Amino acid sequence: MTVNTRMPESLASATGTITVDLGRIAANWKALAAKVAPARCAAVVKADAYGLGGERIIPTLARAGCPTFFIATPSEAEAARNLAPHADIFALNGLVGNAAAAFAHLDVKPVLSTLDDIVAWSALCKARGERLPAAIHIDTGLHRLGLPVRDVRRLAAEPTMMAGIDLCLVMSHLASADNPRDPKNRDQLLAFETLTALFPAVPRSLAASDGLMLGPAYHFDLVRPGYALYGGQASQIAPTPVKAAVTVSARILAVADVAPGETVGYSATWRAKRPSRIATIAAGYADGIPRNASASDGRSGGHVLISGHLAPIVGRVSMDLITVDVTDLPEGAAMPGEFAKLIADDLTIEEAGFAAGTIGYEILTRLGPRFTRLYLDDEAR
Ligand SMILES: *Cc1c(COP(=O)(O)O)cnc(C)c1O
């Protein structure tokens, strides 16, 4: 791996870094694509590629052979089109506001989830005198976006509602794919098979990162992983064949002694029970570290890694800072100026999420702009 040449000067005064291993992300996509073949594998790169930087990740995946991308919003559609000029791009949130003309101009396929969206896209096709591709999203039980069963049947009975639309994908989304034993998966699979039979010969897509681990019955023509590409493992039961691709570090600013009985941080939620050493680290809730990631006298919390040693986060997470207990670390392990790791191969986004009562997805997508993003190039594979 070679490190991006922008690294040295940006690192000198960096308070924190996010290192994204582009080679790993490309390898993760290839591993998932191999797993689901002959179904095709797309990449979900919404929310700036889960907060990691679509600008580098989208071209990396396109070079790795990924032909299809999913984003959520019109502004993400425009960015993705510039980064992947020849790719198929689907916009999950549909015709937000009046984005239809922009999508047509960008050659982005909206995922239509309401009859109103379908009528609007059909009207645009008529106005432009051309057939324009789009996907429809049908609801099989998540009850978020997606046409309800009644509307799906109406659409199938009145195909003129879709006049001019080149229907290129029918999709749905699973509610409980992270638990392979949940009967809801099977229920949604059966509903999807029944409803998609109303649109014969149209390619189908049901599974995201966890869904693709439920077996080939869930793959259909296209799978749509996001989180797993970035090394996420939402399902602890059926882990996807991917490797961690993200390291997050923040600078140790100070290390200080705290006497027994003294408290650390706002609201004095943690009290030293022994002579303690506390390291203060330059990342806080403004950087996406959850405010309840810390141990108090009443509950345990998350950890950081310093020179390979785990150190618990103690006292309230504040806006720009966290405090960690380094008392048990060897002498000299925690030094001001050095970096502590908040996420690493052996301190996963899942662990960070669970420790704060949330999920790795939220940890990843909330990492803030004060972290310097560094990229390990995929070319050096
Ligand atoms: C976000 C999203 C995905 C990707 O989900 P992951 O769990 O990150 O793989 C796929 N499909 C839809 C509809 C989504 O909203």
Side-chain angles (χ1 to χ4, degrees):
M1 305 284 172
T2 56
V3 171
N4 186 300
T5 48
R6 273 180 297 168
M7 182 173 152
E9 80 263 27
S10 57
L11 203 56
S13 61
T15 53
T17 62
I18 300 174
T19 306
V20 180
D21 189 332
L22 296 171
R24 285 261 181 102
I25 291 175
N28 287 344
W29 180 81
K30 287 180 181 174
L32 297 178
K35 169 114 198 129
V36 302
R40 287 172 299 124
C41 188
V44 180
V45 293
K46 60 194 180 189
D48 197 25
Y50 289 49
L52 298 176
E55 197 179 327
R56 296 300 303 274
I57 290 171
I58 293 171
T60 296
L61 289 167
R63 271 198 303 279
C66 178
T68 307
F69 293 88
F70 285 82
I71 45 73
T73 68
S75 65
E76 291 173 7
E78 187 173 354
R81 174 50 76 217
N82 289 331
L83 294 163
H86 308 296
D88 274 336
I89 299 174
F90 288 93
L92 288 167
N93 282 5
L95 303 182
V96 188
N98 57 358
F103 284 149
H105 176 70
L106 291 168
D107 187 20
V108 165
K109 304 168 178 57
V111 178
L112 307 170
S113 298
T114 64
L115 291 181
D116 284 349
D117 265 12
I118 290 169
V119 167
W121 193 249
S122 172
L124 185 76
C125 294
K126 273 178 229 149
R128 292 173 61 115
E130 56 182 336
R131 284 172 67 76
L132 295 172
I136 57 170
H137 187 164
I138 62 180
D139 182 26
T140 52
L142 181 61
H143 298 299
R144 197 179 64 175
L145 280 180
L147 293 163
V149 175
R150 187 176 10 96
D151 290 352
V152 178
R153 294 200 181 281
R154 183 167 160 212
L155 197 61
E158 296 175 45
T160 50
M161 290 181 83
M162 286 193 288
I165 299 179
D166 170 17
L167 184 59
C168 63
L169 189 71
V170 185
M171 58 168 269
S172 189
H173 198 43
L174 296 167
S176 303
D178 60 338
N179 179 5
R181 292 193 268 275
D182 193 321
K184 189 156 179 97
N185 294 317
R186 188 99 219 132
D187 293 348
Q188 286 194 264
L189 176 67
L190 294 179
F192 189 63
E193 281 171 340
T194 305
L195 292 170
T196 54
L198 299 170
F199 307 93
V202 179
R204 298 181 287 179
S205 176
L206 179 61
S209 295
D210 290 329
L212 68 86
M213 294 308 294
L214 298 175
Y218 288 80
H219 295 168
F220 295 94
D221 300 290
L222 183 73
V223 298
R224 312 182 307 268
Y227 192 52
L229 297 174
Y230 314 108
Q233 293 282 5
S235 173
Q236 304 302 296
I237 301 169
T240 38
V242 297
K243 293 196 175 117
V246 183
T247 307
V248 179
S249 300
R251 189 92 71 175
I252 301 172
L253 298 176
V255 182
D257 292 320
V258 173
E262 291 294 315
T263 63
V264 172
Y266 287 132
S267 307
T269 57
W270 186 87
R271 187 179 300 272
K273 296 185 180 62
R274 56 178 177 167
S276 300
R277 282 182 74 68
I278 298 295
T280 301
I281 295 171
Y285 61 74
D287 304 293
I289 312 302
R291 187 162 173 276
N292 53 356
S294 69
S296 62
D297 292 337
R299 66 180 284 279
S300 63
H303 292 81
V304 305
L305 272 173
I306 298 177
S307 310
H309 303 278
L310 279 175
I313 304 174
V314 299
R316 281 273 158 82
V317 171
S318 48
M319 191 185 296
D320 318 302
L321 300 168
I322 52 177
T323 37
V324 305
D325 182 0
V326 296
T327 315
D328 291 330
L329 269 57
E331 192 66 37
M335 297 294 283
E338 300 288 309
F339 283 88
K341 286 185 176 149
L342 311 180
I343 304 290
D345 284 5
D346 44 1
L347 179 59
T348 64
I349 20 186
E350 280 71 41
E351 291 173 72
F354 294 148
T358 180
I359 54 172
Y361 288 75
E362 191 175 357
I363 300 291
L364 210 53
T365 53
R366 293 183 71 165
L367 293 170
R370 292 197 292 200
F371 287 106
T372 302
R373 266 98 173 143
L374 305 170
Y375 294 92
L376 303 179
D377 278 324
D378 58 324
E379 264 97 45
R381 262 169 296 155

